[in-house]
């Protein structure tokens, strides 16, 4: 049970137990790289700022009773889960950037082949740098990967970024190939397919299959009046706000948890929680 938006003392068992039931994959986020001090309560408080949370599950070691560095958060809607990924992925919690992706099954469905190779990386360019740079072009489906030396941990000078659509990956190649990242011009192109003989991603066959899969998902998606459509960024995420739109004030930081998110502003509210001045429909919605 919850009181005032916080997990009560008796809620922990039900949250852990929620890991035993079936979750809705489309509305579930996978969390990774969690610091040992992160608890279900902290995760709940953080993710509820993006939408109503159904359950939080951090698998724990049976001997130590400590979580194993990953977990799952289920929202009431797929739109809230997508919004949480955009806002919270790579957010530092206790000085560790957390990974927030769709659950494994849904990630497989999202892997359309819009995978890019990024070469000539400066040693200072890390995964967060790549994410912050390339997420401007569209939804990044998984945390970017910088290939590193297994012994020293130093960058080998190249990495990979995966997008949800070919429109986003095409735009990233056009805009970023040859551009400077941290004093080095980077090369951006489609990555080679695994177990293939020199064939790169981005083929006409992949694009056709991705378009068909997207059409099928759109047919199954319920209509939501103010939610962002597939391939669109919610209003307010790096885009101009429509006339007459004002955001609700962000919730205060959770009591007693300021140390976990020190220096990080609360995330903005989801698009469907925005308030329109005057109470009328937004511009362009009148028949």
């Amino acid at each position: 049970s919850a009181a005032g938006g916080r997990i009560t003392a008796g809620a922990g068992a039900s949250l852990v137990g929620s890991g035993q039931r079936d979750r809705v994959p489309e509305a579930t986020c996978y969390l990774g790289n969690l610091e040992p001090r992160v608890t279900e309560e902290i995760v709940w408080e953080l993710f509820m700022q993006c939408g109503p949370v159904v359950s939080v599950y951090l698998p724990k070691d049976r001997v130590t009773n400590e979580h194993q560095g990953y977990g799952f958060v289920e929202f009431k809607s797929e739109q809230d889960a997508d919004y949480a990924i955009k806002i919270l992925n790579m957010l530092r919690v206790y000085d560790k950037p957390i990974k927030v992706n769709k659950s494994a099954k849904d990630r497989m469905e999202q892997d359309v082949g819009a995978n890019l190779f990024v070469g000539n990386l400066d040693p200072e360019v890390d995964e967060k740098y790549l994410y912050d740079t390339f997420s401007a072009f569209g939804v990044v489906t998984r945390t970017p990967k910088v290939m590193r030396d297994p012994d020293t941990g130093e960058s080998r000078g190249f990495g990979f970024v995966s997008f949800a659509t070919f429109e986003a990956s095409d735009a990233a190649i056009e805009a970023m190939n040859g551009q400077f990242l941290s004093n080095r011009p980077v090369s951006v192109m489609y990555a080679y397919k695994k177990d293939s003989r020199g064939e790169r991603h981005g083929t006409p066959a992949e694009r056709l299959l991705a378009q068909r899969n997207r059409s099928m998902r759109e047919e199954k998606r319920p209509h939501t009046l103010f939610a962002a459509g597939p391939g669109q960024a919610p209003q307010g995420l790096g885009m101009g706000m429509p006339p007459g739109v004002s955001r609700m004030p962000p919730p205060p930081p959770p009591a007693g948890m300021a140390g976990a998110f020190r220096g990080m502003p609360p995330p903005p509210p989801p698009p469907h929680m925005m308030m329109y001045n005057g109470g009328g429909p937004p511009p362009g919605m009148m028949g």
Side-chain angles (χ1 to χ4, degrees):
S1 60
R6 295 181 62 82
I7 302 174
T8 61
S14 62
L15 287 174
V16 174
S18 67
Q20 305 302 320
R21 67 174 181 80
D22 290 334
R23 289 180 294 268
V24 179
E26 294 79 8
T28 301
C29 295
Y30 164 85
L31 317 181
N33 201 38
L34 299 179
E35 208 269 348
R37 287 175 289 176
V38 175
T39 64
E40 286 99 341
E41 184 178 26
I42 290 177
V43 171
W44 187 290
E45 293 279 4
L46 180 61
F47 278 76
M48 69 179 293
Q49 297 181 61
C50 297
V53 173
V54 174
S55 67
V56 175
Y57 177 53
L58 304 183
K60 295 184 178 180
D61 186 278
R62 293 184 179 182
V63 177
T64 65
N65 201 36
E66 295 180 353
H67 70 70
Q68 302 177 57
Y70 71 96
F72 303 90
V73 175
E74 181 184 357
F75 286 93
K76 285 188 176 181
S77 74
E78 180 181 358
Q79 288 77 16
D80 289 334
D82 292 339
Y83 184 72
I85 292 170
K86 293 184 179 78
I87 296 299
L88 300 178
N89 188 38
M90 303 304 288
L91 175 74
R92 287 186 177 274
V93 180
Y94 288 121
D95 295 326
K96 286 187 68 174
I98 62 174
K99 298 179 181 180
V100 185
N101 297 312
K102 275 298 185 72
S103 60
K105 179 180 177 181
D106 207 49
R107 285 206 309 274
M108 291 178 61
E109 294 177 354
Q110 284 195 359
D111 188 6
V112 298
N115 306 325
L116 302 184
F117 168 88
V118 186
N120 197 37
L121 294 178
D122 186 275
E124 295 184 358
V125 174
D126 59 8
E127 289 80 1
K128 188 177 189 307
Y129 197 121
L130 286 181
Y131 179 82
D132 290 343
T133 300
F134 284 87
S135 61
F137 300 100
V139 176
V140 176
T141 59
R142 64 187 70 182
T143 302
K145 187 172 185 179
V146 174
M147 304 307 294
R148 300 181 179 277
D149 185 284
D151 298 323
T152 65
E154 295 181 355
S155 171
R156 295 170 58 188
F158 65 96
F160 300 92
V161 180
S162 298
F163 286 97
T165 67
F166 282 105
E167 291 82 357
S169 57
D170 288 341
I173 292 175
E174 183 177 358
M176 295 304 302
N177 187 40
Q179 295 297 316
F180 281 77
L181 286 185
S182 190
N183 301 317
R184 279 193 186 182
V186 297
S187 58
V188 183
M189 63 191 74
Y190 280 104
Y192 285 111
K193 295 181 179 180
K194 293 182 178 179
D195 304 323
S196 69
R197 296 181 179 180
E199 185 180 19
R200 294 184 182 273
H201 286 288
T203 61
E206 281 185 322
R207 294 170 184 270
L208 179 60
L209 182 60
Q211 182 61 42
R212 288 179 178 175
N213 290 341
R214 187 195 305 183
S215 298
M216 292 176 61
R217 288 197 299 268
E218 288 177 0
E219 290 176 1
K220 296 178 181 179
R221 182 190 297 265
H223 175 71
T224 51
L225 184 58
F226 299 125
Q232 296 176 325
Q235 294 286 351
L237 291 180
M239 304 176 66
M241 296 289 284
V245 178
S246 61
R247 288 181 175 175
M248 296 174 60
M257 296 184 188
F261 318 114
R262 183 173 289 113
M264 297 300 302
H272 56 270
M273 294 175 64
M274 294 180 181
M275 301 294 290
Y276 281 83
N277 294 338
M285 294 298 293
M286 297 296 291

